[in-house]
Amino acid sequence: MESFMKEIERANRPAENTERTTGNGNSSSRNTGNPSVSLNPTPPPVDPHSTGEVEFLTEIIPLINDERKVGKTCGNEIFEPANELAWDKDLAEAALEHAADLTFHRGMQGHRGSDSTRVIQRIRRHSTDFSNFAENVVLGNLSAENSFRVFLNSPGHCRNIMNYVYTHVGAAKHYNPETGRTATVYKFGRKRGIDIGPKRERKFVDTIQEDG
């Protein structure tokens, strides 16, 4: 089990999100909340359906929401209970396209596509309804539950799962028999017009201990 987790850790890349982060290795992007943006007209670099096996991971929804109901500490950051996430087919399609890109290109990892697209550009091939966004990526032939546990045990990816600003998620797994590679991708987004309540201040374990 230990060697399995080390292998997954090597394959894992830092989570990417729009939330400003400190000291956790995450990539961060600005909030793209402009409702006047248009769809990205460029096609994905790889067609998922002609290059391998496709699986949409709707079974992660109860796993995610069970954690969000009770709250969790990710690394040293404390997350209070949050709203449940709803499944979104556009986020799932964007997740699938990046998973297919990862499995097609040997040696490719992380959040930048082979066509140099970033997370929001891939989402905007399908929808302009999202402002805040995030992406989790892991390589390896993992079940839906195992990929979820890997993400939950990685502080940066865990933060994306628990972040109260997100309202929707889509996830997909792709296997390419030519390369033998498998990738799982989650995409999170905050859909415009949905009330997520007042802004929350970030809380950390060290801060709580000092206050006590």
Side-chain angles (χ1 to χ4, degrees):
M1 183 66 177
E2 184 179 354
S3 61
F4 168 77
M5 291 305 297
K6 286 182 178 179
E7 181 179 349
I8 297 304
E9 185 178 354
R10 287 195 298 270
N12 236 348
R13 305 301 272 180
E16 179 158 311
N17 57 57
T18 56
E19 297 303 295
R20 186 65 61 185
T21 59
T22 56
N24 59 18
N26 284 8
S27 302
S28 63
S29 308
R30 61 188 178 87
N31 185 326
T32 54
N34 181 359
S36 65
V37 296
S38 58
L39 284 171
N40 176 5
T42 62
V46 175
D47 176 20
H49 298 279
S50 66
T51 56
E53 299 175 10
V54 170
E55 184 179 355
F56 290 107
L57 306 179
T58 56
E59 58 265 50
I60 69 167
I61 293 294
L63 299 176
I64 289 175
N65 287 333
D66 283 350
E67 296 292 339
R68 289 172 69 92
K69 285 176 186 176
V70 297
K72 188 174 180 63
T73 299
C74 301
N76 69 336
E77 187 165 1
I78 299 169
F79 288 86
E80 296 177 349
N83 58 286
E84 292 190 354
L85 296 186
W87 180 262
D88 185 84
K89 63 180 181 62
D90 290 324
L91 292 178
E93 289 289 349
L96 175 62
E97 289 170 358
H98 189 51
D101 199 13
L102 287 162
T103 62
F104 185 84
H105 295 92
R106 291 183 174 89
M108 179 178 164
Q109 294 179 324
H111 304 284
R112 187 175 290 276
S114 64
D115 57 352
S116 297
T117 53
R118 301 304 294 264
V119 178
I120 190 59
Q121 293 170 303
R122 296 191 290 273
I123 292 174
R124 285 184 178 159
R125 288 192 176 110
H126 302 275
S127 175
T128 60
D129 292 340
F130 295 97
S131 51
N132 298 79
F133 59 89
E135 179 178 84
N136 286 359
V137 170
V138 66
L139 298 173
N141 188 15
L142 305 174
S143 68
E145 183 173 358
N146 282 345
S147 66
F148 173 74
R149 296 302 169 193
V150 167
F151 288 143
L152 205 62
N153 289 323
S154 168
H157 300 92
C158 177
R159 288 181 176 98
N160 288 341
I161 291 171
M162 299 302 300
N163 198 325
Y164 81 100
V165 303
Y166 302 125
T167 60
H168 290 75
V169 64
K173 177 180 175 180
H174 189 269
Y175 167 68
N176 187 314
E178 293 295 322
T179 62
R181 287 165 62 93
T182 303
T184 297
V185 178
Y186 292 11
K187 289 205 189 280
F188 303 87
R190 176 185 177 181
K191 191 164 282 191
R192 296 188 181 93
I194 295 181
D195 183 15
I196 59 171
K199 182 178 180 180
R200 300 184 185 183
E201 296 297 324
R202 298 178 69 185
K203 296 181 180 180
F204 298 90
V205 173
D206 293 341
T207 302
I208 298 297
Q209 290 175 343
E210 289 175 3
D211 291 345

